[in-house]
Amino acid sequence: DQQVKQNSPSLSVQEGRISILNCDYTNSMFDYFLWYKKYPAEGPTFLISISSIKDKNEDGRFTVFLNKSAKHLSLHIVPSQPGDSAVYFCAASADNAGNMLTFGGGTRLMVKP
Amino acid sequence: DVKVTQSSRYLVKRTGEKVFLECVQDMDHENMFWYRQDPGLGLRLIYFSYDVKMKEKGDIPEGYSVSREKKERFSLILESASTNQTSMYLCASSFGGPLHFGNGTRLTVT
């Protein structure tokens, strides 16, 4: 049973618009959440994280929102650019350091010019 | 920049062969990890190590073993490769923060 789920396998967005990627989790012990981005033929790279003591974290065009009561987080990319086209993985950790990660299945984002 | 290097990008092996996947990191990180990535399942943790000669099972250790004789090197061993071990294998390292991944080894077992 997957503890971290990304229910949308793919998402297509027009350049300049907002991309919203969603992630749900079931384990209430998770206290640290991360998003990774993966291009083909490369390893995942860290994008942004959020601790459970916060409900929002922003880094440039990327914002992660956490709703603990709903066990839901989302990644917003504004404005979306063609270079953002990649697979995005949501990950969660119960060790508050991001070492032991449980990953979601990934969402493939395509940003059309 | 942290560099995690996996020795092979592509590997094709036969069923029953013993397979070694090698990973080296250059940042003196304590922690090293092996994941496999399969479509729709994301990344699943096979084994990890917090120190030299130390290893812990992850979520899917069956059919695998690991070796960490030196701090910078973490090897994944498939004792007797099977077709259900065909996958993308990703090594990662960390020092108390986000994981840094290598570019992966795509293993095909025929």
Side-chain angles (χ1 to χ4, degrees):
Chain A
D1 189 32
Q2 283 191 291
Q3 297 185 68
V4 178
K5 284 186 179 174
Q6 295 175 252
N7 289 318
S8 299
S10 65
L11 175 67
S12 183
V13 168
Q14 204 67 36
E15 181 179 5
R17 298 289 188 103
I18 184 170
S19 296
I20 300 176
L21 294 90
N22 293 304
C23 178
D24 297 295
Y25 63 95
T26 56
N27 188 342
S28 57
M29 298 300 291
F30 288 146
D31 57 9
Y32 189 63
F33 304 88
L34 306 88
W35 286 93
Y36 279 81
K37 173 176 167 180
K38 186 181 185 300
Y39 292 117
E42 293 183 14
T45 54
F46 169 70
L47 192 57
I48 192 169
S49 64
I50 187 167
S51 166
S52 59
I53 61 172
K54 293 185 172 183
D55 54 18
K56 177 181 172 181
N57 188 26
E58 211 169 333
D59 183 1
R61 296 186 296 113
F62 302 90
T63 303
V64 56
F65 295 92
L66 175 62
N67 182 333
K68 288 188 290 293
S69 60
K71 294 190 176 70
H72 176 83
L73 65 156
S74 60
L75 175 68
H76 292 210
I77 307 173
V78 183
S80 301
Q81 299 173 354
D84 296 329
S85 298
V87 177
Y88 289 78
F89 291 101
C90 167
S93 168
D95 65 10
N96 202 34
N99 279 317
M100 292 297 300
L101 295 179
T102 300
F103 283 84
T107 296
R108 181 178 300 280
L109 173 66
M110 292 162 284
V111 180
K112 294 182 283 190
Chain B
D1 253 2
V2 177
K3 190 152 187 192
V4 179
T5 303
Q6 294 183 232
S7 54
S8 304
R9 293 301 301 269
Y10 300 95
L11 218 47
V12 180
K13 295 292 181 181
R14 293 193 180 275
T15 302
E17 276 193 78
K18 190 167 186 176
V19 181
F20 293 85
L21 303 183
E22 305 289 347
C23 175
V24 176
Q25 50 97 0
D26 66 357
M27 282 302 292
D28 204 37
H29 283 172
E30 302 286 339
N31 311 321
M32 295 190 76
F33 306 80
W34 275 106
Y35 285 85
R36 64 178 279 178
Q37 181 197 350
D38 299 289
L41 297 178
L43 281 69
R44 293 178 292 165
L45 181 63
I46 305 171
Y47 267 97
F48 61 98
S49 169
Y50 285 154
D51 204 350
V52 175
K53 295 195 185 294
M54 176 271 177
K55 60 185 178 185
E56 293 285 345
K57 292 180 180 179
D59 299 319
I60 51 163
E62 296 79 19
Y64 303 95
S65 62
V66 289
S67 171
R68 193 161 180 206
E69 296 296 319
K70 293 185 178 182
K71 192 174 187 180
E72 67 271 18
R73 186 179 295 271
F74 192 35
S75 303
L76 179 70
I77 303 154
L78 286 66
E79 297 290 343
S80 177
S82 64
T83 54
N84 62 12
Q85 293 178 310
T86 291
S87 187
M88 169 69 80
Y89 289 88
L90 291 158
C91 174
S93 72
S94 77
F95 186 61
L99 271 59
H100 298 267
F101 284 89
N103 284 337
T105 296
R106 182 163 294 282
L107 172 67
T108 302
V109 183
T110 61

